[in-house]
C-alpha cells in the first residue's frame, strides 16, 4: 500500500514560493499532509485540503520530560495544544525528552519521562491524539538530547503502556546514532506512530550524494501495514517544488 506522505513546513516554506502556492503544489504532487505549521498558518493547510499531520506538543528545549520539575509546565502546554489539535483535527503531537542532566542516569530519565507522559496519556486517549516522543541524534544536531536511541524511547513507551504514547522514528537522526534502519523498522514498528526522513550527511535531499537509499526504507515501512504519515523533513538544496516532487516519487512505493 502506498504511504501517506507529508512534509515539514519549516524546511520548505520561505524559500521563494508563496505559502498558498506551496501547499497547492504539494497537494497536486500527491501529498496528503503538511506538518509543523505555525499556529497562524494552520488554516491554510485545511483550505488546501491537506491534513496537518503533526504539531509540537511542547517546545524542544534543554529541559524536557526527563526533568520532573518541568512536568507542570509541560502538562499545561500539552493540554493547550491538545485543544488546538482537536480544533484542527491534528492526529499527532510531538514531545521531547530534554537533555541529559549531570548526575542523572538514563534509567532515571526514562522513569521521569514516563511519569510526565502518564499525566497526559489518558487525555490523549480520550481525544484520540497520539503523543510521540521524537528520537533525535545527540552527535551532530542536538548535543546532550537524551532520547537518542530507539531502545530508550521504547523503554519509556513500555512503562507508560498507553496506545496513544508512541515514538517518532526520525530516520535521519537514527541513521547517525545507530543505523540498521530497516531491521529497526521491522522489529519495532508497533512503537512508531510517525516517521521523518532526510538525507545523511547534511539533512539535505534524499539523492545520490547521501548514504541512504530510501525506496527500500519506504517499502519496509509500508510492509508493516503502517497507515500514518511518512514525513519529509530535509532542507532542499535547490528548487523547493522540484525537491518535494522528487522526494514524493522516491518514496511512492507500491
Amino acid at each position: 500500500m502506498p504511504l501517506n506522505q507529508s512534509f515539514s513546513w519549516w524546511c520548505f516554506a520561505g524559500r521563494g514560493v508563496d505559502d498558498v502556492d506551496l501547499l497547492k503544489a504539494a497537494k497536486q504532487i500527491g501529498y496528503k499532509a503538511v506538518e509543523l505549521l505555525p499556529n497562524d498558518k494552520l488554516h491554510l493547510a485545511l483550505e488546501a485540503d491537506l491534513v496537518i499531520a503533526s504539531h509540537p506538543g511542547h517546545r524542544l528545549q534543554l529541559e524536557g520530560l526527563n526533568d520532573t520539575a518541568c512536568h507542570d509546565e509541560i502538562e499545561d502546554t500539552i493540554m493547550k495544544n491538545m485543544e488546538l489539535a482537536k480544533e484542527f483535527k491534528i492526529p499527532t503531537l510531538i514531545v521531547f525528552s530534554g537533555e541529559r542532566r549531570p548526575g542523572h542516569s538514563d534509567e532515571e530519565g526514562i522513569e521521569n519521562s514516563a511519569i510526565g507522559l502518564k499525566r497526559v496519556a489518558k487525555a490523549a486517549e480520550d481525544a484520540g491524539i497520539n503523543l510521540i516522543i521524537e528520537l533525535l541524534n545527540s552527535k551532530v544536531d542536538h548535543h546532550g538530547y537524551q532520547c537518542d536511541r530507539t531502545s530508550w524511547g521504547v523503554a519509556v513507551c513500555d512503562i507508560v503502556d498507553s496506545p496513544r504514547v508512541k515514538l517518532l522514528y526520525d530516520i535521519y537522526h537514527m541513521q547517525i546514532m545507530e543505523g540498521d534502519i530497516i531491521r529497526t523498522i521491522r522489529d519495532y514498528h508497533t512503537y512508531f506512530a510517525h516517521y521523518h526522513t532526510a538525507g545523511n550527511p547534511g539533512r539535505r535531499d534524499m539523492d545520490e550524494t547521501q548514504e541512504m537509499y530510501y525506496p527500500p526504507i519506504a517499502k519496509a515501512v509500508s510492509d508493516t501495514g503502517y497507515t500514518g504519515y511518512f514525513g519529509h523533513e530535509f532542507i532542499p538544496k535547490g528548487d523547493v517544488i522540484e525537491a518535494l516532487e522528487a522526494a514524493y516519487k522516491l518514496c511512492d512505493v507500491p
Side-chain angles (χ1 to χ4, degrees):
M1 171 186 282
L3 295 172
N4 297 313
Q5 296 190 52
S6 59
F7 68 100
S8 290
W9 179 258
W10 71 269
C11 298
F12 298 91
R15 299 180 184 274
V17 180
D18 175 79
D19 290 349
V20 172
D21 291 341
L22 176 61
L23 293 167
K24 285 182 178 178
K27 180 68 176 180
Q28 290 174 349
I29 290 168
Y31 282 90
K32 298 292 193 299
V34 60
E35 311 181 36
L36 303 175
L37 282 157
N39 287 1
D40 63 353
K41 296 185 186 295
L42 292 172
H43 68 283
L44 295 178
L46 302 188
E47 290 167 8
D49 194 26
L50 288 168
V51 173
I52 302 162
S54 73
H55 196 72
H58 63 100
R59 292 176 58 196
L60 170 60
Q61 51 192 12
L62 301 183
E63 298 81 16
L65 288 161
N66 62 359
D67 186 347
T68 55
C70 299
H71 284 179
D72 286 347
E73 180 182 353
I74 289 174
E75 179 181 3
D76 182 60
T77 304
I78 288 174
M79 294 304 292
K80 288 177 181 176
N81 283 321
M82 209 175 291
E83 291 304 312
L84 190 72
K86 291 178 188 176
E87 179 183 354
F88 287 93
K89 297 180 173 57
I90 304 170
T92 298
L93 294 177
I94 302 172
V95 300
F96 305 96
S97 70
E99 292 194 359
R100 289 180 171 86
R101 294 179 296 143
H104 294 265
S105 67
D106 268 1
E107 290 71 24
E108 184 172 358
I110 289 167
E111 188 66 37
N112 287 348
S113 295
I115 290 169
L117 285 166
K118 282 182 178 180
R119 294 174 59 157
V120 290
K122 180 61 165 57
E125 291 168 15
D126 292 344
I129 293 169
N130 292 323
L131 301 176
I132 54 173
I133 314 163
E134 183 157 17
L135 297 161
L136 299 173
N137 82 75
S138 60
K139 181 179 178 181
V140 177
D141 300 292
H142 301 281
H143 296 284
Y145 186 76
Q146 193 160 35
C147 187
D148 61 354
R149 301 276 179 173
T150 302
S151 58
W152 199 98
V154 166
V156 174
C157 292
D158 281 343
I159 295 172
V160 179
D161 192 26
S162 167
R164 290 295 178 179
V165 175
K166 299 289 185 178
L167 301 177
L168 163 46
Y169 187 68
D170 191 304
I171 296 165
Y172 160 76
H173 288 296
M174 290 301 97
Q175 171 67 6
I176 291 171
M177 294 304 299
E178 55 190 26
D180 207 13
I181 299 298
I182 290 176
R183 192 192 317 272
T184 300
I185 290 167
R186 289 171 176 166
D187 289 349
Y188 293 102
H189 65 89
T190 57
Y191 291 89
F192 302 157
H194 200 74
Y195 290 86
H196 276 168
T197 76
N200 184 56
R203 198 183 193 125
R204 294 290 191 169
D205 306 63
M206 301 177 291
D207 58 19
E208 70 283 354
T209 67
Q210 56 93 46
E211 66 188 7
M212 288 183 286
Y213 185 54
Y214 266 93
I217 295 174
K219 183 67 162 53
V221 174
S222 177
D223 285 348
T224 67
Y226 178 69
T227 58
Y229 294 95
F230 191 76
H232 302 304
E233 197 180 29
F234 64 87
I235 300 168
K237 293 183 286 189
D239 182 87
V240 170
I241 305 303
E242 290 179 1
L244 276 173
E245 186 168 12
Y248 185 89
K249 289 180 177 177
L250 188 71
C251 297
D252 189 25
V253 297

